[in-house]
């Protein structure tokens, strides 16, 4: 059974009476444990699709099932609970709290969880350790390099042990070395069982995926398996 099922999905934005279609009836399935790269030029609908799949936006047509339940059947509270518990998000701009420690940034999603507060410290420390930043856990995030900040963002996404990690251009603001380290971490997380959905315009990063879905003008241009998946150095990010 697919973890994510999308059929004839549409998203149209309405501004001052003007319709702007972003997604024009796309269909695909994603199995648990897959590593999917979604590619396409600017304006192709990549980020819109990620926002819908991550319960950050709702479609205007078609169907989307997550874990065999249609998005229309979730209440607002259920959407928020699933988003917090089963989904993790990593964005190009990091979206960290400035002048706040690595530990407190990573712990933030736990404030909205049903987990006992007594478990928060251990969970946050474990997530920070998973991205090789235990030696920076008490640093303020604005004192870190771009690559380190993105690793903090991944740790924050991991802290609730989500089924799916959505990564929207996670290497876009990084140099090539830091970008490779981020992709190595995502690869390792996928090997550990996390489903990864990566939004990217870079062929290099897409080659880490099992499968590539290419969008153009809100439509699927192609959907294919990667013949020779790139394999990184799993521990290259560690100090």
């Amino acid at each position: 059974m697919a973890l994510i099922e999308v059929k004839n999905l549409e998203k149209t934005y309405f501004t001052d009476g003007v319709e702007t279609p972003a997604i024009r009836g796309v269909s695909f399935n994603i199995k648990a444990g897959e590593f999917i790269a979604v590619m396409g030029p600017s304006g192709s609908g990549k980020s819109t699709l990620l926002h819908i799949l991550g319960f950050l936006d709702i479609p205007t047509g078609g169907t989307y099932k997550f874990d065999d339940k249609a998005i229309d059947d979730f209440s607002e509270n259920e959407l928020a609970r699933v988003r917090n518990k089963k989904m993790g998000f990593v964005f190009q701009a990091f979206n960290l709290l400035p002048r706040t420690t690595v530990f407190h940034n990573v712990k933030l999603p736990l404030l909205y969880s049903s987990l006992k507060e007594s478990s928060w410290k251990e969970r946050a420390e474990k997530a920070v350790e998973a991205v090789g930043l235990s030696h920076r856990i008490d640093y303020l995030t604005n004192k870190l390099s771009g690559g380190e900040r993105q690793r903090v963002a991944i740790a924050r996404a991991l802290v609730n042990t989500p089924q799916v990690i959505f990564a929207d251009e996670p290497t876009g603001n990084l140099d090539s070395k830091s970008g490779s380290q981020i992709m190595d971490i995502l690869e390792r997380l996928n090997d550990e069982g996390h489903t990864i959905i990566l939004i990217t315009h870079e062929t290099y990063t897409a080659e880490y995926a099992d499968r590539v879905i290419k969008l153009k003008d809100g439509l699927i241009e192609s959907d294919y398996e990667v013949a020779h998946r790139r394999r990184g150095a799993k521990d290259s990010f560690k100090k």
Side-chain angles (χ1 to χ4, degrees):
M1 184 180 70
L3 177 65
I4 287 173
E5 299 177 69
V6 170
K7 188 173 183 179
N8 298 324
L9 195 73
E10 297 179 358
K11 180 63 181 182
T12 300
Y13 294 99
F14 300 89
T15 307
D16 297 327
V18 177
E19 296 185 10
T20 305
I23 301 292
R24 302 169 182 258
V26 302
S27 300
F28 58 86
N29 291 345
I30 297 174
K31 294 182 292 187
E34 278 196 277
F35 191 147
I36 304 293
V38 180
M39 298 187 72
S42 178
S44 62
K46 302 188 303 296
S47 292
T48 298
L49 181 60
L50 179 143
H51 288 165
I52 292 173
L53 297 181
F55 290 1
L56 299 171
D57 202 351
I58 57 173
T60 50
T63 60
Y64 167 33
K65 288 185 177 181
F66 181 84
D67 216 3
D68 206 35
K69 184 173 180 178
I71 188 173
D72 293 339
D73 294 334
F74 287 91
S75 68
E76 286 295 324
N77 287 338
E78 287 174 326
L79 287 173
R81 185 166 59 252
V82 171
R83 189 167 54 236
N84 180 259
K85 184 177 181 180
K86 297 187 176 183
M87 300 175 176
F89 298 88
V90 182
F91 297 102
Q92 180 177 347
F94 316 135
N95 293 349
L96 300 176
L97 297 176
R99 296 179 297 281
T100 306
T101 65
V102 168
F103 174 79
H104 283 95
N105 269 277
V106 172
K107 188 180 75 171
L108 186 61
L110 298 173
L111 302 179
Y112 306 98
S113 74
S114 59
L115 296 169
K116 293 181 179 179
E117 188 173 351
S118 58
S119 70
W120 293 358
K121 183 175 185 292
E122 181 180 357
R123 273 182 169 262
E125 289 175 344
K126 185 176 180 180
V128 172
E129 181 182 4
V131 299
L133 283 179
S134 294
H135 61 295
R136 295 278 194 265
I137 196 166
D138 294 321
Y139 276 52
L140 300 180
T141 54
N142 58 316
K143 300 297 184 182
L144 302 178
S145 68
E148 288 174 329
R149 277 180 279 172
Q150 193 60 290
R151 283 152 62 184
V152 175
I154 293 174
R156 182 184 57 193
L158 276 178
V159 76
N160 274 325
T161 58
Q163 284 180 274
V164 186
I165 296 174
F166 295 97
D168 192 356
E169 300 280 5
T171 63
N173 286 335
L174 306 179
D175 58 49
S176 58
K177 180 180 178 181
S178 297
S180 293
Q181 292 173 342
I182 294 304
M183 292 310 302
D184 291 348
I185 294 172
L186 291 177
E187 177 196 11
R188 179 171 53 80
L189 294 174
N190 178 239
D191 289 344
E192 292 172 358
H194 295 277
T195 303
I196 308 292
I197 300 178
L198 168 73
I199 303 296
T200 184
H201 65 276
E202 300 169 326
T203 301
Y204 175 85
T205 55
E207 289 174 350
Y208 280 83
D210 300 306
R211 179 175 148 214
V212 175
I213 298 173
K214 285 190 175 181
L215 296 182
K216 184 177 181 180
D217 298 329
L219 295 167
I220 293 180
E221 187 177 41
S222 60
D223 182 346
Y224 60 90
E225 294 184 0
V226 176
H228 301 288
R229 181 177 171 185
R230 185 181 295 276
R231 308 298 294 186
K234 297 291 194 306
D235 296 326
S236 64
F237 61 92
K238 290 186 178 179
K239 185 179 178 184

